[in-house]
Short mmCIF file of all heavy atoms in Angstrom, two decimals:
data_model
loop_
_atom_site.label_atom_id
_atom_site.label_comp_id
_atom_site.label_asym_id
_atom_site.label_seq_id
_atom_site.Cartn_x
_atom_site.Cartn_y
_atom_site.Cartn_z
N MET A 1 -15.24 -2.87 -16.36
CA MET A 1 -14.09 -1.96 -15.87
C MET A 1 -14.09 -1.92 -14.36
O MET A 1 -12.97 -1.89 -13.82
CB MET A 1 -14.52 -0.56 -16.50
CG MET A 1 -13.47 0.46 -16.16
SD MET A 1 -12.04 0.23 -17.18
CE MET A 1 -11.31 1.81 -17.12
N ASN A 2 -15.18 -2.02 -13.68
CA ASN A 2 -15.09 -1.95 -12.27
C ASN A 2 -14.36 -3.19 -11.62
O ASN A 2 -13.64 -3.02 -10.69
CB ASN A 2 -16.54 -1.92 -11.71
CG ASN A 2 -16.61 -1.41 -10.24
OD1 ASN A 2 -15.70 -0.75 -9.75
ND2 ASN A 2 -17.68 -1.74 -9.62
N VAL A 3 -14.65 -4.44 -12.20
CA VAL A 3 -13.92 -5.52 -11.75
C VAL A 3 -12.44 -5.48 -11.95
O VAL A 3 -11.60 -5.75 -11.10
CB VAL A 3 -14.42 -6.89 -12.43
CG1 VAL A 3 -13.62 -8.03 -12.16
CG2 VAL A 3 -15.95 -7.00 -12.12
N PHE A 4 -12.01 -4.89 -13.08
CA PHE A 4 -10.59 -4.61 -13.37
C PHE A 4 -9.97 -3.71 -12.32
O PHE A 4 -8.88 -3.96 -11.74
CB PHE A 4 -10.42 -4.12 -14.78
CG PHE A 4 -8.93 -3.63 -15.07
CD1 PHE A 4 -7.99 -4.58 -15.24
CD2 PHE A 4 -8.67 -2.25 -15.14
CE1 PHE A 4 -6.70 -4.22 -15.50
CE2 PHE A 4 -7.36 -1.91 -15.42
CZ PHE A 4 -6.42 -2.89 -15.60
N LEU A 5 -10.65 -2.58 -12.01
CA LEU A 5 -10.16 -1.59 -11.03
C LEU A 5 -10.05 -2.20 -9.68
O LEU A 5 -9.13 -1.94 -8.92
CB LEU A 5 -10.99 -0.28 -11.07
CG LEU A 5 -10.97 0.45 -12.41
CD1 LEU A 5 -12.10 1.59 -12.36
CD2 LEU A 5 -9.58 0.98 -12.61
N TRP A 6 -11.03 -2.96 -9.17
CA TRP A 6 -10.94 -3.61 -7.95
C TRP A 6 -9.87 -4.62 -7.91
O TRP A 6 -9.20 -4.84 -6.92
CB TRP A 6 -12.34 -4.17 -7.57
CG TRP A 6 -13.21 -3.13 -6.98
CD1 TRP A 6 -14.36 -2.73 -7.49
CD2 TRP A 6 -13.04 -2.43 -5.74
NE1 TRP A 6 -14.86 -1.70 -6.69
CE2 TRP A 6 -14.00 -1.49 -5.63
CE3 TRP A 6 -11.95 -2.38 -4.83
CZ2 TRP A 6 -14.17 -0.64 -4.57
CZ3 TRP A 6 -12.04 -1.42 -3.68
CH2 TRP A 6 -13.15 -0.61 -3.61
N THR A 7 -9.62 -5.35 -9.01
CA THR A 7 -8.57 -6.31 -9.00
C THR A 7 -7.14 -5.51 -8.89
O THR A 7 -6.30 -6.07 -8.12
CB THR A 7 -8.49 -7.15 -10.37
OG1 THR A 7 -9.82 -7.71 -10.48
CG2 THR A 7 -7.45 -8.12 -10.44
N VAL A 8 -7.02 -4.53 -9.55
CA VAL A 8 -5.76 -3.73 -9.51
C VAL A 8 -5.56 -3.17 -8.11
O VAL A 8 -4.48 -3.25 -7.45
CB VAL A 8 -5.68 -2.64 -10.56
CG1 VAL A 8 -4.59 -1.58 -10.19
CG2 VAL A 8 -5.66 -3.20 -11.91
N ALA A 9 -6.68 -2.63 -7.54
CA ALA A 9 -6.62 -2.15 -6.12
C ALA A 9 -6.26 -3.24 -5.13
O ALA A 9 -5.50 -3.11 -4.22
CB ALA A 9 -7.96 -1.46 -5.70
N GLY A 10 -6.86 -4.39 -5.42
CA GLY A 10 -6.54 -5.60 -4.49
C GLY A 10 -5.06 -6.06 -4.54
O GLY A 10 -4.41 -6.31 -3.54
N LEU A 11 -4.54 -6.07 -5.76
CA LEU A 11 -3.15 -6.49 -5.95
C LEU A 11 -2.19 -5.36 -5.38
O LEU A 11 -1.21 -5.75 -4.72
CB LEU A 11 -2.75 -6.55 -7.49
CG LEU A 11 -3.40 -7.82 -8.11
CD1 LEU A 11 -3.22 -7.79 -9.65
CD2 LEU A 11 -2.97 -9.09 -7.57
N LEU A 12 -2.50 -4.11 -5.56
CA LEU A 12 -1.77 -3.01 -4.90
C LEU A 12 -1.81 -3.16 -3.41
O LEU A 12 -0.79 -2.94 -2.71
CB LEU A 12 -2.22 -1.61 -5.31
CG LEU A 12 -1.80 -1.21 -6.78
CD1 LEU A 12 -2.57 0.11 -7.12
CD2 LEU A 12 -0.25 -1.00 -6.85
N ALA A 13 -2.85 -3.42 -2.85
CA ALA A 13 -3.09 -3.52 -1.50
C ALA A 13 -2.22 -4.76 -0.93
O ALA A 13 -1.63 -4.64 0.13
CB ALA A 13 -4.55 -3.77 -1.04
N LEU A 14 -2.21 -5.79 -1.67
CA LEU A 14 -1.45 -6.96 -1.28
C LEU A 14 0.15 -6.61 -1.24
O LEU A 14 0.83 -6.91 -0.27
CB LEU A 14 -1.66 -8.12 -2.30
CG LEU A 14 -0.92 -9.41 -2.00
CD1 LEU A 14 -1.52 -10.03 -0.67
CD2 LEU A 14 -1.09 -10.44 -3.13
N VAL A 15 0.58 -5.92 -2.24
CA VAL A 15 1.96 -5.53 -2.39
C VAL A 15 2.23 -4.47 -1.15
O VAL A 15 3.25 -4.64 -0.46
CB VAL A 15 2.32 -4.88 -3.69
CG1 VAL A 15 3.66 -4.24 -3.65
CG2 VAL A 15 2.16 -5.95 -4.77
N PHE A 16 1.41 -3.42 -1.03
CA PHE A 16 1.64 -2.46 0.09
C PHE A 16 1.72 -3.11 1.42
O PHE A 16 2.39 -2.85 2.26
CB PHE A 16 0.73 -1.35 0.01
CG PHE A 16 0.84 -0.40 -1.04
CD1 PHE A 16 -0.26 0.32 -1.59
CD2 PHE A 16 2.07 -0.07 -1.73
CE1 PHE A 16 -0.13 1.25 -2.56
CE2 PHE A 16 2.22 0.76 -2.67
CZ PHE A 16 1.05 1.50 -3.20
N GLY A 17 0.68 -3.98 1.68
CA GLY A 17 0.55 -4.69 2.84
C GLY A 17 1.80 -5.61 3.23
O GLY A 17 2.29 -5.60 4.33
N ALA A 18 2.26 -6.35 2.25
CA ALA A 18 3.27 -7.26 2.45
C ALA A 18 4.57 -6.48 2.70
O ALA A 18 5.34 -6.82 3.67
CB ALA A 18 3.48 -8.16 1.21
N ALA A 19 4.81 -5.40 1.95
CA ALA A 19 6.06 -4.61 2.21
C ALA A 19 6.01 -3.91 3.51
O ALA A 19 7.04 -3.84 4.12
CB ALA A 19 6.15 -3.56 1.00
N GLY A 20 4.92 -3.41 3.92
CA GLY A 20 4.73 -2.72 5.16
C GLY A 20 4.89 -3.76 6.35
O GLY A 20 5.54 -3.41 7.29
N ALA A 21 4.27 -4.89 6.26
CA ALA A 21 4.36 -5.88 7.33
C ALA A 21 5.85 -6.33 7.46
O ALA A 21 6.30 -6.58 8.55
CB ALA A 21 3.48 -7.10 7.01
N MET A 22 6.50 -6.43 6.33
CA MET A 22 7.91 -6.81 6.34
C MET A 22 8.76 -5.83 7.04
O MET A 22 9.64 -6.25 8.01
CB MET A 22 8.58 -7.01 4.90
CG MET A 22 9.88 -7.52 4.96
SD MET A 22 10.64 -7.70 3.24
CE MET A 22 10.61 -6.03 2.55
N LYS A 23 8.58 -4.55 6.88
CA LYS A 23 9.21 -3.49 7.56
C LYS A 23 8.87 -3.40 9.14
O LYS A 23 9.74 -3.03 9.91
CB LYS A 23 9.01 -2.16 6.90
CG LYS A 23 9.73 -2.05 5.58
CD LYS A 23 9.34 -0.75 4.86
CE LYS A 23 9.94 -0.73 3.47
NZ LYS A 23 9.24 -1.48 2.59
N LEU A 24 7.66 -3.79 9.37
CA LEU A 24 7.30 -3.80 10.82
C LEU A 24 7.76 -5.06 11.58
O LEU A 24 8.03 -4.95 12.81
CB LEU A 24 5.69 -3.70 10.86
CG LEU A 24 5.08 -2.43 10.44
CD1 LEU A 24 3.54 -2.51 10.42
CD2 LEU A 24 5.47 -1.33 11.34
N GLY A 25 7.86 -6.16 10.87
CA GLY A 25 8.22 -7.47 11.49
C GLY A 25 9.68 -7.81 11.53
O GLY A 25 10.02 -8.86 12.15
N ARG A 26 10.55 -7.04 10.90
CA ARG A 26 11.93 -7.40 10.85
C ARG A 26 12.78 -6.22 11.35
O ARG A 26 12.37 -5.11 11.34
CB ARG A 26 12.38 -7.73 9.45
CG ARG A 26 11.60 -8.89 8.82
CD ARG A 26 11.99 -9.08 7.42
NE ARG A 26 12.76 -10.25 7.30
CZ ARG A 26 13.50 -10.61 6.20
NH1 ARG A 26 13.34 -9.91 5.12
NH2 ARG A 26 14.30 -11.65 6.25
N THR A 27 14.03 -6.57 11.82
CA THR A 27 14.95 -5.58 12.25
C THR A 27 15.52 -4.82 11.11
O THR A 27 15.53 -5.30 10.03
CB THR A 27 16.06 -6.13 13.20
OG1 THR A 27 16.76 -7.01 12.36
CG2 THR A 27 15.42 -6.90 14.36
N ARG A 28 16.11 -3.65 11.36
CA ARG A 28 16.75 -2.90 10.34
C ARG A 28 17.93 -3.72 9.71
O ARG A 28 18.16 -3.67 8.54
CB ARG A 28 17.38 -1.57 10.85
CG ARG A 28 16.29 -0.55 11.03
CD ARG A 28 16.93 0.79 11.32
NE ARG A 28 18.04 0.73 12.40
CZ ARG A 28 19.14 1.33 12.25
NH1 ARG A 28 19.49 1.94 11.16
NH2 ARG A 28 19.97 1.20 13.25
N GLN A 29 18.59 -4.50 10.55
CA GLN A 29 19.80 -5.27 10.12
C GLN A 29 19.34 -6.35 9.17
O GLN A 29 19.98 -6.61 8.08
CB GLN A 29 20.55 -5.87 11.30
CG GLN A 29 21.30 -4.81 12.16
CD GLN A 29 20.43 -4.05 13.01
OE1 GLN A 29 19.24 -4.38 13.31
NE2 GLN A 29 20.87 -2.84 13.47
N GLN A 30 18.11 -6.92 9.47
CA GLN A 30 17.62 -8.08 8.74
C GLN A 30 17.23 -7.46 7.34
O GLN A 30 17.39 -8.05 6.29
CB GLN A 30 16.48 -8.77 9.38
CG GLN A 30 16.87 -9.62 10.51
CD GLN A 30 15.66 -10.14 11.28
OE1 GLN A 30 14.56 -9.48 11.35
NE2 GLN A 30 15.81 -11.27 11.87
N LEU A 31 16.55 -6.31 7.37
CA LEU A 31 16.11 -5.67 6.12
C LEU A 31 17.32 -5.30 5.25
O LEU A 31 17.29 -5.52 4.01
CB LEU A 31 15.25 -4.56 6.46
CG LEU A 31 13.91 -4.69 7.03
CD1 LEU A 31 13.22 -3.51 7.56
CD2 LEU A 31 12.96 -5.36 6.14
N ALA A 32 18.30 -4.76 5.90
CA ALA A 32 19.49 -4.32 5.11
C ALA A 32 20.14 -5.55 4.51
O ALA A 32 20.63 -5.56 3.29
CB ALA A 32 20.55 -3.57 5.93
N GLY A 33 20.16 -6.69 5.26
CA GLY A 33 20.76 -7.94 4.69
C GLY A 33 20.02 -8.53 3.51
O GLY A 33 20.55 -9.28 2.70
N SER A 34 18.73 -8.22 3.50
CA SER A 34 17.88 -8.83 2.47
C SER A 34 17.71 -7.92 1.15
O SER A 34 16.98 -8.15 0.38
CB SER A 34 16.51 -9.15 3.04
OG SER A 34 15.75 -7.89 3.31
N GLY A 35 18.54 -6.88 1.12
CA GLY A 35 18.63 -6.02 0.01
C GLY A 35 18.01 -4.60 0.10
O GLY A 35 18.11 -3.91 -0.77
N LEU A 36 17.48 -4.34 1.25
CA LEU A 36 17.01 -2.95 1.43
C LEU A 36 18.12 -2.12 2.17
O LEU A 36 17.99 -1.83 3.30
CB LEU A 36 15.74 -2.90 2.39
CG LEU A 36 14.51 -3.62 1.69
CD1 LEU A 36 13.28 -3.64 2.66
CD2 LEU A 36 14.07 -2.83 0.43
N GLY A 37 19.08 -1.79 1.45
CA GLY A 37 20.30 -1.09 1.97
C GLY A 37 19.97 0.21 2.67
O GLY A 37 20.79 0.57 3.57
N TRP A 38 18.97 0.90 2.25
CA TRP A 38 18.70 2.24 2.80
C TRP A 38 18.28 2.16 4.26
O TRP A 38 18.50 3.13 5.01
CB TRP A 38 17.58 2.95 2.00
CG TRP A 38 16.24 2.19 2.10
CD1 TRP A 38 15.78 1.29 1.23
CD2 TRP A 38 15.23 2.33 3.09
NE1 TRP A 38 14.56 0.85 1.64
CE2 TRP A 38 14.15 1.41 2.72
CE3 TRP A 38 15.10 3.15 4.18
CZ2 TRP A 38 12.96 1.32 3.53
CZ3 TRP A 38 13.96 3.06 4.99
CH2 TRP A 38 12.91 2.19 4.61
N THR A 39 17.83 0.92 4.69
CA THR A 39 17.55 0.80 6.05
C THR A 39 18.70 0.85 7.02
O THR A 39 18.48 1.22 8.19
CB THR A 39 16.73 -0.53 6.33
OG1 THR A 39 17.55 -1.65 5.99
CG2 THR A 39 15.38 -0.48 5.61
N ALA A 40 19.84 0.57 6.52
CA ALA A 40 21.03 0.72 7.39
C ALA A 40 21.31 2.15 7.75
O ALA A 40 21.92 2.44 8.76
CB ALA A 40 22.20 0.08 6.63
N ASP A 41 20.97 3.05 6.89
CA ASP A 41 21.15 4.51 7.24
C ASP A 41 19.97 5.22 7.82
O ASP A 41 20.16 6.37 8.34
CB ASP A 41 21.46 5.27 5.82
CG ASP A 41 22.78 4.72 5.26
OD1 ASP A 41 23.64 4.33 5.87
OD2 ASP A 41 22.75 4.77 3.95
N ALA A 42 18.91 4.49 7.93
CA ALA A 42 17.64 5.15 8.57
C ALA A 42 17.54 4.64 9.94
O ALA A 42 18.06 3.72 10.37
CB ALA A 42 16.40 4.69 7.70
N GLY A 43 16.86 5.46 10.76
CA GLY A 43 16.55 5.14 12.08
C GLY A 43 15.45 4.10 12.23
O GLY A 43 14.63 3.87 11.31
N ASP A 44 15.35 3.47 13.41
CA ASP A 44 14.35 2.49 13.71
C ASP A 44 12.89 3.07 13.55
O ASP A 44 12.09 2.46 12.90
CB ASP A 44 14.53 1.88 15.09
CG ASP A 44 15.68 0.97 15.27
OD1 ASP A 44 16.15 0.45 14.29
OD2 ASP A 44 16.13 0.90 16.37
N SER A 45 12.73 4.20 14.08
CA SER A 45 11.40 4.84 14.04
C SER A 45 11.05 5.18 12.51
O SER A 45 9.86 5.05 12.19
CB SER A 45 11.28 6.05 14.81
OG SER A 45 12.28 6.98 14.39
N THR A 46 12.02 5.60 11.66
CA THR A 46 11.84 5.78 10.26
C THR A 46 11.25 4.59 9.53
O THR A 46 10.31 4.66 8.74
CB THR A 46 13.03 6.41 9.58
OG1 THR A 46 13.40 7.57 10.32
CG2 THR A 46 12.68 6.74 8.21
N VAL A 47 11.95 3.52 9.77
CA VAL A 47 11.62 2.30 9.10
C VAL A 47 10.23 1.78 9.55
O VAL A 47 9.36 1.37 8.80
CB VAL A 47 12.69 1.16 9.45
CG1 VAL A 47 12.21 -0.21 8.78
CG2 VAL A 47 13.98 1.60 8.82
N LEU A 48 10.04 1.87 10.80
CA LEU A 48 8.56 1.61 11.31
C LEU A 48 7.50 2.47 10.81
O LEU A 48 6.36 1.97 10.49
CB LEU A 48 8.62 1.54 12.90
CG LEU A 48 9.38 0.54 13.60
CD1 LEU A 48 9.47 0.75 15.09
CD2 LEU A 48 8.86 -0.83 13.27
N LEU A 49 7.80 3.78 10.71
CA LEU A 49 6.86 4.68 10.18
C LEU A 49 6.54 4.27 8.72
O LEU A 49 5.34 4.33 8.21
CB LEU A 49 7.30 6.19 10.21
CG LEU A 49 6.41 7.20 9.74
CD1 LEU A 49 5.14 7.28 10.58
CD2 LEU A 49 7.11 8.49 9.74
N ILE A 50 7.61 4.04 7.95
CA ILE A 50 7.29 3.59 6.48
C ILE A 50 6.57 2.38 6.42
O ILE A 50 5.67 2.20 5.55
CB ILE A 50 8.62 3.64 5.75
CG1 ILE A 50 9.32 5.01 5.68
CG2 ILE A 50 8.50 2.97 4.43
CD1 ILE A 50 10.69 5.00 5.10
N GLY A 51 6.85 1.42 7.29
CA GLY A 51 6.10 0.11 7.35
C GLY A 51 4.64 0.40 7.70
O GLY A 51 3.75 -0.22 7.08
N ALA A 52 4.33 1.26 8.71
CA ALA A 52 3.02 1.53 9.12
C ALA A 52 2.29 2.23 7.94
O ALA A 52 1.02 2.01 7.72
CB ALA A 52 2.98 2.41 10.34
N ALA A 53 2.92 3.12 7.26
CA ALA A 53 2.31 3.79 6.09
C ALA A 53 1.91 2.84 5.04
O ALA A 53 0.89 2.96 4.37
CB ALA A 53 3.16 4.91 5.57
N GLY A 54 2.77 1.83 4.79
CA GLY A 54 2.44 0.81 3.78
C GLY A 54 1.20 0.02 4.18
O GLY A 54 0.39 -0.29 3.38
N VAL A 55 1.12 -0.35 5.43
CA VAL A 55 -0.02 -1.21 5.97
C VAL A 55 -1.30 -0.32 5.86
O VAL A 55 -2.35 -0.71 5.42
CB VAL A 55 0.21 -1.65 7.30
CG1 VAL A 55 -1.06 -2.29 7.87
CG2 VAL A 55 1.31 -2.70 7.34
N ALA A 56 -1.14 1.05 6.33
CA ALA A 56 -2.23 1.91 6.17
C ALA A 56 -2.75 2.15 4.77
O ALA A 56 -4.01 2.21 4.49
CB ALA A 56 -1.88 3.23 6.85
N GLY A 57 -1.80 2.20 3.85
CA GLY A 57 -2.14 2.32 2.38
C GLY A 57 -2.98 1.18 1.90
O GLY A 57 -3.96 1.25 1.11
N ALA A 58 -2.53 -0.06 2.31
CA ALA A 58 -3.23 -1.28 1.99
C ALA A 58 -4.73 -1.30 2.47
O ALA A 58 -5.63 -1.60 1.82
CB ALA A 58 -2.45 -2.51 2.49
N LEU A 59 -4.87 -0.87 3.76
CA LEU A 59 -6.18 -0.74 4.41
C LEU A 59 -7.00 0.25 3.66
O LEU A 59 -8.15 0.06 3.49
CB LEU A 59 -6.07 -0.55 5.90
CG LEU A 59 -5.43 -1.59 6.69
CD1 LEU A 59 -5.23 -1.11 8.16
CD2 LEU A 59 -6.24 -2.86 6.61
N GLY A 60 -6.37 1.35 3.34
CA GLY A 60 -7.11 2.38 2.63
C GLY A 60 -7.60 1.97 1.20
O GLY A 60 -8.59 2.57 0.74
N LEU A 61 -6.91 1.06 0.59
CA LEU A 61 -7.47 0.58 -0.63
C LEU A 61 -8.55 -0.42 -0.54
O LEU A 61 -9.36 -0.68 -1.46
CB LEU A 61 -6.20 -0.09 -1.43
CG LEU A 61 -5.23 0.92 -2.02
CD1 LEU A 61 -4.01 0.13 -2.54
CD2 LEU A 61 -5.88 1.60 -3.25
N ILE A 62 -8.61 -1.21 0.53
CA ILE A 62 -9.52 -2.27 0.72
C ILE A 62 -10.73 -1.93 1.61
O ILE A 62 -11.88 -2.25 1.29
CB ILE A 62 -8.80 -3.53 1.33
CG1 ILE A 62 -7.77 -4.03 0.28
CG2 ILE A 62 -9.82 -4.61 1.62
CD1 ILE A 62 -8.17 -4.37 -1.01
N LEU A 63 -10.50 -1.22 2.69
CA LEU A 63 -11.68 -1.01 3.64
C LEU A 63 -12.82 -0.28 2.98
O LEU A 63 -13.96 -0.52 3.46
CB LEU A 63 -11.11 -0.22 4.86
CG LEU A 63 -10.34 -1.08 5.86
CD1 LEU A 63 -9.83 -0.21 7.06
CD2 LEU A 63 -11.14 -2.26 6.34
N PRO A 64 -12.67 0.81 2.17
CA PRO A 64 -13.93 1.35 1.62
C PRO A 64 -14.86 0.40 0.88
O PRO A 64 -16.00 0.50 1.04
CB PRO A 64 -13.38 2.44 0.63
CG PRO A 64 -12.08 2.76 1.16
CD PRO A 64 -11.48 1.45 1.74
N ALA A 65 -14.30 -0.58 0.24
CA ALA A 65 -15.14 -1.60 -0.37
C ALA A 65 -15.79 -2.51 0.70
O ALA A 65 -16.94 -2.77 0.53
CB ALA A 65 -14.30 -2.45 -1.29
N LEU A 66 -15.04 -2.94 1.62
CA LEU A 66 -15.65 -3.82 2.67
C LEU A 66 -16.71 -3.13 3.53
O LEU A 66 -17.65 -3.70 3.96
CB LEU A 66 -14.49 -4.23 3.62
CG LEU A 66 -13.41 -5.21 2.94
CD1 LEU A 66 -12.36 -5.66 3.91
CD2 LEU A 66 -14.16 -6.47 2.33
N LEU A 67 -16.47 -1.81 3.75
CA LEU A 67 -17.37 -1.01 4.65
C LEU A 67 -18.50 -0.38 3.75
O LEU A 67 -19.43 0.23 4.36
CB LEU A 67 -16.70 0.01 5.42
CG LEU A 67 -15.55 -0.56 6.35
CD1 LEU A 67 -14.92 0.57 7.03
CD2 LEU A 67 -16.24 -1.43 7.36
N ASP A 68 -18.47 -0.49 2.40
CA ASP A 68 -19.44 0.06 1.46
C ASP A 68 -19.54 1.58 1.73
O ASP A 68 -20.73 2.11 1.81
CB ASP A 68 -20.75 -0.55 1.64
CG ASP A 68 -21.64 -0.34 0.48
OD1 ASP A 68 -21.00 -0.08 -0.70
OD2 ASP A 68 -22.82 -0.40 0.54
N THR A 69 -18.42 2.28 1.88
CA THR A 69 -18.47 3.64 2.05
C THR A 69 -18.07 4.51 0.83
O THR A 69 -18.43 5.65 0.76
CB THR A 69 -17.46 4.10 3.19
OG1 THR A 69 -16.12 3.70 2.75
CG2 THR A 69 -17.89 3.56 4.54
N ALA A 70 -17.40 3.88 -0.14
CA ALA A 70 -17.04 4.60 -1.30
C ALA A 70 -16.58 3.65 -2.47
O ALA A 70 -16.21 2.56 -2.23
CB ALA A 70 -15.86 5.65 -1.05
N GLU A 71 -16.61 4.15 -3.64
CA GLU A 71 -16.19 3.44 -4.75
C GLU A 71 -14.81 4.00 -5.15
O GLU A 71 -14.58 4.67 -6.08
CB GLU A 71 -17.15 3.60 -6.06
CG GLU A 71 -18.48 2.91 -5.80
CD GLU A 71 -18.33 1.40 -5.83
OE1 GLU A 71 -17.54 0.81 -6.51
OE2 GLU A 71 -19.12 0.75 -4.98
N VAL A 72 -13.85 3.61 -4.43
CA VAL A 72 -12.50 4.15 -4.48
C VAL A 72 -11.86 3.99 -5.89
O VAL A 72 -11.48 4.95 -6.51
CB VAL A 72 -11.56 3.63 -3.46
CG1 VAL A 72 -10.18 4.09 -3.65
CG2 VAL A 72 -12.06 3.99 -2.03
N PRO A 73 -11.84 2.75 -6.50
CA PRO A 73 -11.20 2.68 -7.74
C PRO A 73 -11.94 3.51 -8.91
O PRO A 73 -11.28 4.06 -9.69
CB PRO A 73 -11.29 1.20 -8.12
CG PRO A 73 -11.27 0.56 -6.86
CD PRO A 73 -12.11 1.48 -5.89
N VAL A 74 -13.20 3.47 -8.83
CA VAL A 74 -14.03 4.23 -9.76
C VAL A 74 -13.76 5.78 -9.69
O VAL A 74 -13.50 6.45 -10.56
CB VAL A 74 -15.56 3.93 -9.63
CG1 VAL A 74 -16.33 4.91 -10.59
CG2 VAL A 74 -15.78 2.49 -9.96
N ALA A 75 -13.72 6.22 -8.35
CA ALA A 75 -13.43 7.66 -8.14
C ALA A 75 -11.91 7.98 -8.55
O ALA A 75 -11.70 9.06 -9.13
CB ALA A 75 -13.56 7.94 -6.64
N ALA A 76 -11.08 7.04 -8.31
CA ALA A 76 -9.67 7.27 -8.67
C ALA A 76 -9.48 7.28 -10.22
O ALA A 76 -8.79 8.21 -10.77
CB ALA A 76 -8.76 6.27 -8.08
N ALA A 77 -10.20 6.48 -10.88
CA ALA A 77 -10.05 6.44 -12.39
C ALA A 77 -10.73 7.67 -12.91
O ALA A 77 -10.30 8.27 -13.85
CB ALA A 77 -10.84 5.10 -12.85
N HIS A 78 -11.90 8.08 -12.34
CA HIS A 78 -12.56 9.34 -12.79
C HIS A 78 -11.65 10.53 -12.64
O HIS A 78 -11.60 11.38 -13.53
CB HIS A 78 -13.86 9.50 -12.06
CG HIS A 78 -14.56 10.79 -12.49
ND1 HIS A 78 -15.10 10.89 -13.71
CD2 HIS A 78 -14.78 11.89 -11.87
CE1 HIS A 78 -15.67 12.04 -13.86
NE2 HIS A 78 -15.47 12.73 -12.71
N GLY A 79 -10.88 10.56 -11.56
CA GLY A 79 -10.01 11.69 -11.35
C GLY A 79 -8.75 11.74 -12.25
O GLY A 79 -8.13 12.69 -12.37
N ALA A 80 -8.43 10.54 -12.77
CA ALA A 80 -7.28 10.38 -13.61
C ALA A 80 -7.43 11.09 -14.96
O ALA A 80 -6.51 11.44 -15.61
CB ALA A 80 -6.93 8.89 -13.76
N TRP A 81 -8.65 11.14 -15.51
CA TRP A 81 -8.92 11.80 -16.79
C TRP A 81 -9.54 13.12 -16.63
O TRP A 81 -10.54 13.30 -15.85
CB TRP A 81 -9.80 10.81 -17.60
CG TRP A 81 -9.11 9.55 -17.95
CD1 TRP A 81 -8.14 9.31 -18.81
CD2 TRP A 81 -9.58 8.29 -17.42
NE1 TRP A 81 -7.79 8.03 -18.75
CE2 TRP A 81 -8.66 7.36 -17.96
CE3 TRP A 81 -10.57 7.79 -16.60
CZ2 TRP A 81 -8.79 6.01 -17.69
CZ3 TRP A 81 -10.68 6.48 -16.35
CH2 TRP A 81 -9.74 5.49 -16.87
N PRO A 82 -9.07 14.06 -17.43
CA PRO A 82 -9.65 15.38 -17.32
C PRO A 82 -11.08 15.45 -17.86
O PRO A 82 -11.45 14.72 -18.72
CB PRO A 82 -8.73 16.27 -18.22
CG PRO A 82 -7.95 15.36 -19.04
CD PRO A 82 -7.91 13.99 -18.32
N SER A 83 -11.84 16.27 -17.21
CA SER A 83 -13.25 16.42 -17.66
C SER A 83 -13.30 17.15 -19.03
O SER A 83 -12.48 18.04 -19.21
CB SER A 83 -14.12 17.24 -16.65
OG SER A 83 -14.08 16.51 -15.43
N SER A 84 -14.25 16.85 -19.78
CA SER A 84 -14.35 17.57 -21.05
C SER A 84 -15.38 18.62 -21.05
O SER A 84 -16.20 18.81 -20.20
CB SER A 84 -14.69 16.55 -22.15
OG SER A 84 -15.72 15.73 -21.87
#
């Protein structure tokens, strides 16, 4: 079960990191042209903030395992089910 949870956390980190990096590395016009139409209505700082939040989320999923500070997927799975 632990391997499964870390695999899911790793895949989520990959998706969050890639989406965040895309928002940090491209202009609003490029993002709007590639299908993210909401970026045309948002400000530059908003798009950058959302991108930074995505990258931070990816780091938050991976760093605890690398630094051996917490068992994040196990704790998250434990919190998902009510105690009996």
Side-chain angles (χ1 to χ4, degrees):
M1 182 74 158
N2 198 21
V3 172
F4 172 74
L5 293 173
W6 277 115
T7 302
V8 171
L11 291 173
L12 283 173
L14 184 66
V15 171
F16 286 154
M22 182 180 63
K23 289 176 187 76
L24 290 174
R26 301 175 100 189
T27 65
R28 283 188 314 131
Q29 292 77 19
Q30 290 173 329
L31 290 170
S34 67
L36 295 176
W38 64 268
T39 58
D41 298 329
D44 288 335
S45 59
T46 302
V47 175
L48 290 174
L49 180 66
I50 292 171
V55 171
L59 291 174
L61 284 166
I62 298 300
L63 283 180
L66 294 178
L67 300 175
D68 198 28
T69 58
E71 292 290 327
V72 174
V74 175
H78 178 68
W81 293 294
S83 300
S84 47

